[in-house]
Amino acid sequence: MKQLKKLFAIEQSPAKGLMALEGLVLGYMLVTLIVVLFAYTKEVNPNAMIMGRLRIGVTTVALWLVYRMVPCRLTRLIRVLFQFLMLGWWYGDTFEINRMFPNLDHLFAGLEQMIFGYQPALDFCQVIQSKVFSELMCLGYASYFPLIIITLLFYFCFRYKEFERSAFVILASFFAFYVIFILLPVTGPQYYYGAVGIENIGKGIFPNLYDYFNLHQDRMVTPGWQGGFFYGLVEDMHDAGEHPTAAFPSSHVGVTMVLLLLAWHSKNRKLFFFELPFFILMCFSTVYIRAHYAIDAIAGLFVGAVFYFVFMYLSKNFHVPVES
């Protein structure tokens, strides 16, 4: 009952302006809108991209007005959750922009081969074919968005003073990854291997596909035990919102690293040790299900850590608004 009262209690000194994370979204929206307008004739769905941005912008302002009328924790939470719900749309949007550029998978697959002498994403699922292991890998991959929600809600419920800061760090990390994905059009093994043929990949042949994925978005079926519950969940997730984009570095690994560091920052051992095994599974599962090359996962570890410390520092300097 006490928590419920806090949820609806009117704030004494409500913040008048937009949250830092809303400003971040609008800034990203403006920059990418300029790109869309300049490349209008080259884009496949420019009008949908423009209208999508308009809807997100209008809704952001509308939710801010609702908060100004009813300034409480609930309306603040709704503002934050809306931006996170839109991440799936922004993810697909990276493909709409980077599909204009030549695909770079041949370079990353070649680098993978040079470093390891083989393709880990090709062999991992074949070396270990256990049903239990397959389900563990799929569980790790499927835990991505639940971990984000758990971390956000933990800060909202138990570390409210840093709730907006934690939300800013996670969201800023996402958009930093999205910028990289736009500049580096890499689809990952689940698209590239199928496009060039498994036999060629096994022989170390990595042809340049140029703009192939601009017109072809066929994805390989996820490897593993097809009768598994979590296997089916991962396949459904991919069918619903996957695109030939966003392979390097792995945002799944990178953002999960950010979440783990936020759990450590919270000084709550239960949260940290709850997220730790999912983080470990995520590092391996992205390669096992062929969503990423091994170098994507390794890069995601380092990039995610860098993003965490950079955005934690920036959020402190920007004085991300909080309520006591």
Side-chain angles (χ1 to χ4, degrees), residues 108-175:
F108 284 81
L111 179 60
E112 184 103 324
Q113 190 79 15
M114 182 179 68
I115 293 174
F116 298 102
Y118 66 102
Q119 294 288 302
L122 178 63
D123 297 337
F124 190 8
C125 62
Q126 297 175 355
V127 172
I128 306 177
Q129 297 185 357
S130 164
K131 292 180 180 180
V132 174
F133 190 80
S134 171
E135 278 293 270
L136 279 174
M137 292 293 98
C138 291
L139 168 62
Y141 196 79
S143 68
Y144 187 46
F145 290 109
L147 287 176
I148 295 171
I149 298 301
I150 289 170
T151 305
L152 277 176
L153 292 182
F154 174 86
Y155 269 89
F156 181 78
C157 295
F158 304 108
R159 299 288 188 276
Y160 188 68
K161 289 184 178 181
E162 291 197 280
F163 167 62
E164 288 183 27
R165 186 184 189 192
S166 65
F168 173 83
V169 170
I170 299 170
L171 203 67
S173 299
F174 266 104
F175 283 108

Side-chain angles (χ1 to χ4, degrees), residues 10-114:
I10 300 300
E11 298 175 357
Q12 298 301 313
S13 302
K16 295 181 179 180
L18 294 174
M19 298 181 189
L21 63 90
E22 292 169 325
L24 169 73
V25 172
L26 295 179
Y28 179 85
M29 180 189 304
L30 178 60
V31 171
T32 54
L33 176 61
I34 293 172
V35 173
V36 172
L37 292 176
F38 270 100
Y40 188 89
T41 57
K42 295 182 179 180
E43 294 285 357
V44 177
N45 302 300
N47 292 332
M49 297 170 71
I50 294 171
M51 289 305 299
R53 284 163 170 76
L54 179 61
R55 285 191 290 269
I56 292 174
V58 170
T59 306
T60 298
V61 174
L63 291 177
W64 168 71
L65 291 173
V66 170
Y67 169 78
R68 292 294 295 155
M69 291 186 288
V70 188
C72 63
R73 292 191 179 192
L74 178 62
T75 51
R76 190 186 290 271
L77 175 64
I78 292 172
R79 290 168 67 185
V80 172
L81 290 181
F82 170 74
Q83 302 302 340
F84 277 86
L85 288 173
M86 290 299 100
L87 285 173
W89 188 88
W90 287 116
Y91 171 74
D93 186 76
T94 64
F95 171 64
E96 295 297 335
I97 299 176
N98 74 24
R99 71 194 302 179
M100 296 186 300
F101 308 122
N103 175 259
L104 301 177
D105 272 82
H106 63 291
L107 299 178
F108 284 81
L111 179 60
E112 184 103 324
Q113 190 79 15
M114 182 179 68

